[in-house]
Amino acid sequence: EAGVAQSPRYKIIEKRQSVAFWCNPISGHATLYWYQQILGQGPKLLIQFQNNGVVDDSQLPKDRFSAERLKGVDSTLKIQPAKLEDSAVYLCASSFDGSYEQYFGPGTRLTVT
Amino acid sequence: DQQVKQNSPSLSVQEGRISILNCDYTNSMFDYFLWYKKYPAEGPTFLISISSIKDKNEDGRFTVFLNKSAKHLSLHIVPSQPGDSAVYFCAASAGGWNFNKFYFGSGTKLNVKP
């Protein structure tokens, strides 16, 4: 079974630039999550999708972050414009409907200079 | 406000001995808990879970204990092996309509010395 795929793995941008991350969840997983993990901290949920609908985006900084999950499969997370404090690893995870267990991708390490 | 806390950033243990990783939480509504293990440059992988209706759950060398009155859980690894060296995260959920919204601790880096 293929795992959660994410790209790119690394990205370096200057502040005020924009960036986008892509995630392909495990086939059949209805729920998709985007997390932000700042160095030394645990993952923080940014947004959660159930199929292509948003379940929770209470911790998403909506003035600069956006996410979509077209057709209930792949998802993209965008930051525009980026700030220095956005430097972090962005993790995508997915889970079966009704399951607690989340499967994580390898993450994208973003550095904003 | 951090609702799940792992107060030990690191732990070093000799191979063959017991590793005990601790986690505290503040939200009394949390009723399901997970432990994840993370190797460098990889995403976290699920290790073991426990529901608030239990106080212990075992899976091979891994046992999780839950003390609801103290709002504390711990992960025991016996015997510890060098391959267990990783960062361990605990996570908690309050259940309900969004039962799989988890709050993560900051992690404990375990080093098992050969």
Side-chain angles (χ1 to χ4, degrees), chain B residues 4 6 23 30 32-36 73 89-93 102-105:
Chain B
V4 179
Q6 294 176 257
C23 179
F30 286 152
Y32 203 85
F33 304 87
L34 304 177
W35 283 93
Y36 278 87
L73 64 156
F89 293 98
C90 67
S93 163
F102 280 88
Y103 296 85
F104 283 77

Side-chain angles (χ1 to χ4, degrees), chain A residues 46-63:
Chain A
L46 292 176
I47 189 167
Q48 177 183 342
F49 292 94
Q50 180 79 12
N51 296 308
N52 59 351
V54 175
V55 174
D56 189 318
D57 63 358
S58 57
Q59 298 188 99
L60 186 74
K62 298 179 187 65
D63 57 334

Side-chain angles (χ1 to χ4, degrees), chain A residues 9 33 37 42 48 56 58 102 105, chain B residues 36 41 43 89 98 100-101 105:
Chain A
R9 292 295 309 274
Y33 315 78
Q37 185 178 11
Q48 177 183 342
D56 189 318
S58 57
Q102 299 179 22
Chain B
Y36 278 87
F89 293 98
N98 196 5
N100 49 12
K101 179 175 182 177

Side-chain angles (χ1 to χ4, degrees), chain B residues 58-76:
Chain B
E58 265 183 281
D59 184 1
R61 296 186 296 114
F62 302 90
T63 302
V64 56
F65 295 92
L66 175 61
N67 183 333
K68 291 186 289 294
S69 60
K71 296 191 183 70
H72 176 84
L73 64 156
S74 60
L75 174 69
H76 292 212

